[in-house]
Amino acid sequence: DGWAKRAKTWAKRGDAFVLKVATIELHILAHPEAAEHVLKTRRGNFVKGDAYNGFRRIAGDGLLTAEGEDWR
């Protein structure tokens, strides 16, 4: 089961880890305070850039994809 595998990975690697899928590195933040740090407190330090363009087409400009003034 996919969720059981993810839970094992989370338990093994901790609350923040990198998951490589093909040629893409996904930075996983599994703890709410870590997500808040990246998405709110220090959002200016974490540029999403062109890597999110494909995801933006699917998800639109929301919390996870918007940047700058659009994010507010």
Side-chain angles (χ1 to χ4, degrees), residues 6-52:
R6 286 178 186 86
K8 285 181 185 178
T9 301
W10 181 11
K12 183 171 114 178
R13 296 186 182 181
D15 288 339
F17 58 91
V18 176
L19 181 65
K20 192 163 187 173
V21 178
T23 60
I24 299 170
E25 287 185 350
L26 301 172
H27 296 260
I28 309 298
L29 300 172
H31 197 278
E33 290 163 355
E36 180 182 33
H37 179 78
V38 171
L39 295 172
K40 183 179 176 188
T41 309
R42 300 283 184 184
R43 72 177 183 272
N45 294 342
F46 301 95
V47 178
K48 294 171 184 141
D50 293 338
Y52 273 73

